[in-house]
Structure formats: structure tokens, C-alpha cells
Amino acid sequence: LTATQIDAVNAGKVRALQQLQSAASLTIEGNSVRIVNLTGHKLISGYPEGRRMWLNVKWYDSTGAVVREDGKYGPMLANVLGTLRNVDSLLDPANTKVYEAHYGITQEWAAKLLLLGVPSNLAIGYDRLTGVPTLTLGELASMSPGQSVESFHFVLNNKVVTDNRIPPYGMSYEAARKRNALPVPVTQYGAPAPNGTFQHWDTVVLNPPGNAVSAKVSLMYQSASWEYIQFLALAN
């Protein structure tokens, strides 16, 4: 790259960081944190596969030592195309609030895909540590009607399984319904009536350790997770 091109890339990075830092505000109220969406779209927005946002909370004792970290991001040992390597990911998603959209394939649609000639051994997903397929299209098609499974197969997916991304200010129920943009489940963010509007914030109750006297709360954003990159490598 030329010096001018490098400067342009660096300037774009600065603009992107500024945009991310102004996307939300955090307010602590007792043991709860309120996240307010300051954008004109869902937080997070854009192409949803692999994108996520989560709370990272570091709890400190009276000496300043970290006694626990919720939403920790770091290395874990995974099988990467036959070789064990350290890859970085959200280590324990269950111990924090993660904002993301998950799409999937229904049992009925899986059965139709088989009739259209899609191979029955097509992997729906992979274990993020071993890389072993967790389910195949044929296995999904043989499940009970009404069931669905999350999948990164963006082109094949036919169902929004979950979507807990924070709505923007003034997002109306009816407008979101017409655009297939309702939260899933729809009971989130105030659960407005069809003529109402959603809340543009979320309140998360924290769970401090008994010996914690202070905390650092951060809102983290990732545009492409290890799990999504792994899927692209294995499925293609």
C-alpha cells in the first residue's frame, strides 16, 4: 500500500472506533446496569452472523485484586482443521448477557431441503472445541415437527430463533412486524401492544461476589466470532 492508502485505512479505523464508542451509554443503578441504545438501528446491527455484543464485568476486592470476571474473553484450545491451537472466544457465554441474533432451520424446511437434493449429511453446526458436527440436515429432518436448530447456514435458514438485540428509540411494534424485525421472543423490551413502541434500553441485574467492593463494567463488541470463522472453514 502507498502512504496515502495506509493513512486512509488508519483514518477509517479511527472513525469506526468513534462510531462504536458512541453507540451506547452505560448507567449503574445499585447492582444493575442499564444499556441505552444511542443508534438509529438495533444494537447490534448489520449482518448478524458471528456478530455479538456482551457485558464484561471485572469485580475487585478491597485490595484491588480481581476476584471474578464475568463475560471473559480469551484463549481456549480448539481443533483447527486437524491441529490443536489456541483461539480467542467468549469463554463462558452463560455467565454474562450476550446480545445477538440466532437464525435456524426448522424440521419442516429441513425435510423439504432433502427433497430438493441437499445432502442429508450436511452439517448444521460444529462443536466449537472439537470441530465435530453437532447435527446433520438428515437428523434434523427426522426430528419431531415444530422443532428448529440454530445454524450459520445463512442462505438455508428460514427462522429467527432468537433476537435479543436492543431496539432503537421509537421502534414501533407494527413497523418491526412488517420488516420481520421483532425481538424474539416478542415479550422483550417492554412487550408493547401492536400500536406501541419498544424500549430502547436494557437493564441487566449483576451478580457481585460477596467480597467485591468495586467493578469495571464494559460493553464489548465483536464483528466475527471464532465460532463463525470455524463454521466457514469447516462448511466450505
Side-chain angles (χ1 to χ4, degrees), residues 27-235:
T27 305
I28 301 294
E29 301 174 357
N31 283 335
S32 299
V33 57
R34 172 171 286 196
I35 305 165
V36 179
N37 182 356
L38 301 179
T39 75
H41 49 69
K42 282 188 176 183
L43 188 68
I44 53 174
S45 188
Y47 189 69
E49 303 302 307
R51 289 194 179 195
R52 58 189 176 187
M53 180 178 77
W54 72 92
L55 279 175
N56 174 271
V57 186
K58 294 184 177 72
W59 300 99
Y60 300 91
D61 63 15
S62 57
T63 68
V66 176
V67 295
R68 196 180 77 207
E69 182 176 357
D70 302 335
K72 187 175 182 179
Y73 185 89
M76 62 183 189
L77 196 62
N79 186 327
V80 182
L81 302 179
T83 302
L84 290 178
R85 299 180 182 274
N86 276 319
V87 299
D88 290 331
S89 187
L90 186 55
L91 297 180
D92 187 7
N95 84 330
T96 187
K97 183 65 177 286
V98 183
Y99 299 90
E100 56 192 341
H102 283 287
Y103 296 80
I105 302 174
T106 63
Q107 180 274 334
E108 294 83 355
W109 181 232
K112 291 181 180 180
L113 289 174
L114 293 180
L115 294 176
L116 292 171
V118 180
S120 62
N121 64 349
L122 177 75
I124 301 297
Y126 302 90
D127 182 276
R128 71 175 190 162
L129 297 179
T130 66
V132 175
T134 54
L135 192 75
T136 66
L137 187 67
E139 290 170 337
L140 174 56
S142 65
M143 293 170 64
S144 302
Q147 298 194 58
S148 59
V149 174
E150 294 178 6
S151 165
F152 281 132
H153 283 292
F154 188 78
V155 175
L156 299 181
N157 291 340
N158 70 315
K159 180 182 177 65
V160 183
V161 179
T162 60
D163 184 355
N164 70 342
R165 297 174 295 170
I166 304 174
Y169 176 82
M171 187 178 89
S172 73
Y173 181 102
E174 188 60 19
R177 183 192 66 80
K178 290 179 180 178
R179 291 163 175 79
N180 195 29
L182 289 170
V184 180
V186 75
T187 52
Q188 302 174 87
Y189 302 112
N195 60 345
T197 58
F198 289 95
Q199 297 173 353
H200 63 288
W201 68 86
D202 187 33
T203 301
V204 180
V205 178
L206 304 176
N207 180 30
N211 58 338
V213 299
S214 64
K216 179 181 179 181
V217 182
S218 303
L219 189 62
M220 313 299 291
Y221 166 78
Q222 185 174 37
S223 58
S225 66
W226 150 250
E227 291 77 8
Y228 181 52
I229 299 302
Q230 177 202 44
F231 175 86
L232 293 179
L234 296 175

